[in-house]
Amino acid sequence: MAAMAVVTSSSSPAYVAKQPPPPPPGIHHNKTAGYQSYNGHNHMYPPTATTTTTTTTYYWEERRALDGIVLALRAAAALLSFVAVALVASCRHGDWMEFARYQEYRYLLGASLVACLYSAAQAFRSLRRMRAAASTSGSGILHFAGDQVVAYLLITAASAALPITIRMRSAVINIFTDAMVAAISLAFAAFAALAFSAIISGFRISAAAAAAQPY
């Protein structure tokens, strides 16, 4: 049995472990690489000067575009309100065709005048700010609130003057009722312009608040 065991042991070849082949040239294994916790930075692709410059350029382009839209909306609101004021104030044709006899038309005149002055002042400020490239972070809430208040005045004044104008036009259609219809329509259009301006102001406030919060 011992002889048989020797023969069996000698007949089986011995196993020799072979070393793995070397890696091709140009490939190096990082033996120290392991799990790295994420801390908000990409270690493999760190931010470069080109990425930062592109982000800054995009920010300033978006800001100039929004400033231009707000300037156009406020200028349009000022122009529309001015024409509405002129139309209401010109309705002095005597007897019942006097705008001062109706509180609805007096309210429409006052609201349109306030909207004209406010929108013209804000458009002038927006133009100066765009030329000076100044920041709007400090006055964003004031612009947002001012646009909403003036837009509310316009929509309430136009809504109050509309029913009495419809009743007048059901009886007679003349230069007085035509002028009032045009003034009411312009007040509604000025309201829409200021409402869009308030939406943009609210978007800017939300974006600034989100950017200031740490993650």
Side-chain angles (χ1 to χ4, degrees), residues 4-202:
M4 184 180 297
V6 171
V7 173
T8 303
S9 174
S10 62
S11 61
S12 59
Y15 176 77
V16 179
K18 295 183 179 180
Q19 300 245 351
I27 299 179
H28 302 282
H29 295 286
N30 187 6
K31 297 182 179 180
T32 61
Y35 175 77
Q36 297 180 356
S37 61
Y38 178 74
N39 58 356
H41 301 284
N42 192 339
H43 299 282
M44 297 183 63
Y45 303 98
T48 60
T50 304
T51 306
T52 305
T53 304
T54 304
T55 305
T56 305
T57 303
Y58 176 77
Y59 167 78
W60 283 105
E61 288 179 354
E62 181 182 7
R63 177 179 165 182
R64 281 194 294 268
L66 290 177
D67 286 340
I69 294 173
V70 171
L71 174 61
L73 289 173
R74 287 172 175 167
L79 180 61
L80 294 170
S81 301
F82 175 77
V83 178
V85 169
L87 288 173
V88 176
S90 65
C91 291
R92 302 180 64 88
H93 307 294
D95 198 11
W96 65 273
M97 293 188 296
E98 288 280 344
F99 80 91
R101 295 183 59 180
Y102 308 94
Q103 60 179 357
E104 295 88 352
Y105 295 148
R106 294 197 302 268
Y107 182 31
L108 178 62
L109 178 64
S112 300
L113 182 60
V114 171
C116 178
L117 296 177
Y118 169 81
S119 301
Q122 290 287 32
F124 180 70
R125 289 186 59 185
S126 298
L127 182 61
R128 290 187 58 186
R129 187 167 52 247
M130 288 179 62
R131 290 183 175 180
S135 176
T136 60
S137 58
S139 57
I141 298 179
L142 295 178
H143 295 167
F144 179 61
D147 291 345
Q148 289 191 91
V149 170
V150 177
Y152 175 79
L153 288 176
L154 282 173
I155 193 65
T156 53
S159 300
L162 185 60
I164 187 174
T165 306
I166 293 176
R167 289 196 301 269
M168 288 182 179
R169 287 181 65 85
S170 64
V172 60
I173 298 177
N174 54 16
I175 188 173
F176 179 80
T177 56
D178 288 341
M180 288 304 173
V181 168
I184 293 171
S185 301
L186 292 173
F188 276 118
F191 158 77
L194 288 177
F196 279 115
S197 178
I199 291 173
I200 295 177
S201 299

